[in-house]
Amino acid sequence: MQTNKKIVIIGGGTGQAVFLRGLKNYTENITAVVAVTDNGSSSGMLREDLGMLPPGDIRSCILALADTEPTMQDVFQYRFDRGRLQGQCLGNLFIAAMSEIFGSTEQAIAKISEFLAVKGKVLPVSLDDLQLSVKLKNGKIVTGESGIKLEVIKQKTAIDTLFVEPNPKPYHAVLDEIYKADAVVIGPGSLYTSVLANLVIPKIADVLRETKAKKFYVANLMSQPGETDGYEIIDYLDVIKKHVGDGIIDTVVANHYVIDANILKEQRVDDEFLKTGSALTEAIDNYGIQDSTQLLLDDKQKKEIKTRGIEIVEENLIEIKKGYIRHNAQKLSETILNNI
């Protein structure tokens, strides 16, 4: 199912990288737009020390689109576990070094993409040094992406609104890519810290409304403690609308496979990991401990979404590996391409 259609993916985190890894098998005309507000762990340290854009999600997207040997992937993902470099990722350090050599993160991304034979482009949503902040339901402000989830849980409240400061400006190349796209895919990824961290950048939502591209929102598979506790898929759409308005989503893509250990005894499941049962049980246990719940569309949500003029596409999009529930990159890619 090869295609030449231009596809832009907006997001960040593990979900975006997983999707890109599958999509590159169908097209090289891909642009990954990555949030730049991560201030935790290795990325946060490099931001503070060198004043650069956070490299973590950029690195993950580059590797997801790279046409290189598995060994090279392992090298770039290697994280030091002792000494002064403990916690640092080699790929992040490489991006930092290339940024110093070539004068900017965007030039570093371009050179590394050539080096690793990346299929497509990886673009930061902004070139500015930005911080993500949220106003909680209790009125308190939390600044810094890495502390948001912990504060939500600690204060037993929820996120009210999100904003990026100071004075964010979009990277002009991102606006061009969205405007010229045949399809734009928002997600999958954390609602606030991956999706909205991109969408609230000025002009991004405006260009999404102006583009002739078909615009997909890929619903998450599970709720996320500290961000979307108790949310349904319709709540995700409501939050996006609250922050950036209508007109940026044409189609919602959602999983309809119900994750339940008992199902394995009642029906045949294609996914090799689900057939064994052990990975499914482990995943249910992991997400149950985190108070994470599966996100599914019921009739009430479907009716409301359709009244907004938004189409719905449902497929079995589940893949479970090593106790983690992820989107099946191949199935998600085929679902998007079949509905452009």
Side-chain angles (χ1 to χ4, degrees):
M1 188 192 299
Q2 296 297 312
T3 180
N4 290 320
K5 292 186 181 295
K6 185 176 185 63
I7 303 174
V8 174
I9 298 90
I10 299 176
T14 303
Q16 184 182 30
V18 168
F19 178 33
L20 292 173
R21 197 167 285 112
L23 188 61
K24 74 177 181 183
N25 296 317
Y26 300 92
T27 178
E28 296 186 13
N29 203 355
I30 301 170
T31 300
V33 177
V34 185
V36 293
T37 51
D38 184 8
N39 71 330
S41 188
S42 173
S43 287
M45 293 169 64
L46 291 172
R47 283 188 71 177
E48 184 176 347
D49 288 346
L50 302 177
M52 63 180 292
L53 294 177
D57 286 348
I58 292 171
R59 179 200 79 244
S60 295
C61 288
I62 288 174
L63 291 178
L65 292 173
D67 184 14
T68 188
E69 297 297 326
T71 300
M72 186 62 72
Q73 296 266 347
D74 292 340
V75 168
F76 271 76
Q77 294 285 42
Y78 177 76
R79 196 172 294 272
F80 295 90
D81 60 5
R82 64 184 183 278
R84 294 184 181 181
L85 289 176
Q86 184 174 2
Q88 283 289 358
C89 174
L90 182 58
N92 289 355
L93 293 174
F94 188 72
I95 294 174
M98 294 288 277
S99 298
E100 294 284 311
I101 292 169
F102 293 102
S104 68
T105 302
E106 62 268 33
Q107 285 297 315
I109 294 170
K111 295 296 183 181
I112 295 169
S113 295
E114 291 177 15
F115 175 62
L116 294 178
V118 166
K119 296 181 177 180
K121 302 176 185 177
V122 178
L123 301 177
V125 70
S126 175
L127 301 179
D128 297 334
D129 182 14
L130 303 175
Q131 287 288 349
L132 192 67
S133 298
V134 296
K135 179 182 178 182
L136 303 179
K137 295 284 188 181
N138 63 11
K140 294 184 178 180
I141 305 295
V142 180
T143 298
E145 179 182 315
S146 61
I148 292 173
K149 297 173 189 176
L150 292 176
E151 285 301 312
V152 168
I153 295 170
K154 178 182 176 181
Q155 298 186 34
K156 298 180 180 179
T157 185
I159 297 171
D160 181 62
T161 52
L162 171 144
F163 49 98
V164 176
E165 53 189 359
N167 303 316
K169 297 182 293 295
Y171 183 22
H172 66 85
V174 169
L175 301 180
D176 292 341
E177 293 292 311
I178 293 173
Y179 192 77
K180 297 174 183 177
D182 294 299
V184 177
V185 183
I186 301 169
S190 301
L191 174 60
Y192 290 96
T193 54
S194 291
V195 172
L196 281 175
N198 286 290
L199 298 183
V200 299
I201 302 296
K203 297 185 180 180
I204 296 294
D206 292 336
V207 174
L208 281 169
R209 278 184 278 270
E210 294 169 7
T211 182
K212 295 181 180 179
K214 187 162 184 179
K215 295 158 288 191
F216 298 87
Y217 174 67
V218 179
N220 286 357
L221 302 174
M222 306 290 293
S223 65
Q224 191 167 8
E227 281 206 33
T228 55
D229 302 85
Y231 279 37
E232 295 182 312
I233 291 174
I234 191 71
D235 297 315
Y236 283 69
L237 301 181
D238 288 342
V239 169
I240 291 172
K241 179 179 178 179
K242 173 182 176 179
H243 283 79
V244 298
D246 287 318
I248 69 164
I249 297 171
D250 298 321
T251 303
V252 170
V253 178
N255 168 67
H256 62 53
Y257 176 81
V258 180
I259 304 172
D260 188 303
N262 292 326
I263 290 178
L264 291 174
K265 302 175 183 178
E266 301 170 1
Q267 67 182 48
R268 177 181 175 275
V269 180
D270 291 331
D271 192 295
E272 190 64 36
F273 288 94
L274 297 184
K275 286 179 184 178
T276 65
S278 59
L280 180 61
T281 302
E282 182 182 357
I284 291 172
D285 289 343
N286 285 345
Y287 288 85
I289 291 170
Q290 297 178 39
D291 293 324
S292 185
T293 56
Q294 188 177 7
L295 297 171
L296 298 164
L297 287 173
D298 56 21
D299 290 340
K300 182 179 179 181
Q301 292 181 79
K302 291 178 185 179
K303 183 177 179 180
E304 173 59 27
I305 290 171
K306 289 177 180 177
T307 63
R308 302 181 187 186
I310 299 174
E311 299 176 357
I312 297 171
V313 175
E314 291 184 283
E315 296 287 349
N316 177 357
L317 300 174
I318 291 284
E319 180 177 63
I320 300 177
K321 289 187 177 181
K322 298 180 181 179
Y324 290 96
I325 299 169
R326 306 289 190 214
H327 281 90
N328 183 306
Q330 177 183 339
K331 292 179 181 178
L332 179 57
S333 299
E334 291 175 354
T335 298
I336 296 295
L337 295 176
N338 284 331
N339 286 277
I340 295 177

